[in-house]
Amino acid sequence: MSDAYVFVKGNTAEISLPAGAQVTVKAKTNSSSAQKVRLTSQDGTVGLEFVGAGERNTVIGQETITGQAGLTAVFEFSEGDGVFKPSRLNSGGPYEIGAYNLMVLVAENGDDADYNDTILEFSWYTPK
């Protein structure tokens, strides 16, 4: 698991996941404003975009990818005018709970300070 990490700068996160692991990526929102997350890889094998709005951890997308280094996630929001602006980010993990692993990125619009407007979760199992 030592090869998993997140580095946050502005509204962009550089992400590395365990090579070869089957990783579930889930995007959720807790905002009435439109949220957007673009997840891409340097080698072009990952190109995902999750867009949506909603309260109470509304799932706006879920995919399974193969773990790798060189992922980039960009978080933005729109206040209804169709113009997307950068969100502020924070991260946690990776957390190892038995064979289960979780890494989380959270984004804030600036309308409060709860850092749950967009939540991007990466989860995988460590082979035994």
Side-chain angles (χ1 to χ4, degrees):
M1 191 179 84
S2 62
D3 52 351
Y5 68 85
V6 174
F7 176 72
V8 172
K9 183 175 181 184
N11 72 320
T12 302
E14 295 176 18
I15 303 156
S16 179
L17 298 166
Q22 293 299 302
V23 178
T24 299
V25 181
K26 185 184 288 188
K28 299 185 276 189
T29 178
N30 288 289
S31 176
S32 57
S33 297
Q35 306 293 309
K36 178 168 43 175
V37 180
R38 287 185 319 276
L39 183 64
T40 56
S41 62
Q42 290 175 348
D43 67 5
T45 60
V46 176
L48 302 173
E49 183 171 272
F50 304 119
V51 181
E55 301 289 342
R56 296 179 188 83
N57 289 315
T58 299
V59 176
I60 59 172
Q62 181 172 327
E63 296 287 337
T64 300
I65 63 173
T66 300
Q68 59 181 288
L71 292 171
T72 301
V74 178
F75 291 74
E76 297 176 307
F77 72 98
S78 174
E79 297 173 313
D81 57 4
V83 176
F84 280 86
K85 303 172 187 168
S87 299
R88 292 190 313 260
L89 299 184
N90 210 333
S91 66
Y95 304 107
E96 186 175 357
I97 307 162
Y100 180 75
N101 299 274
L102 178 67
M103 196 160 56
V104 181
L105 285 153
V106 292
E108 174 56 44
N109 296 352
D111 56 352
D112 51 26
D114 55 9
Y115 278 88
N116 73 345
D117 296 322
T118 306
I119 301 167
L120 188 63
E121 299 175 350
F122 298 90
S123 61
W124 66 93
Y125 287 90
T126 303
K128 293 184 177 193

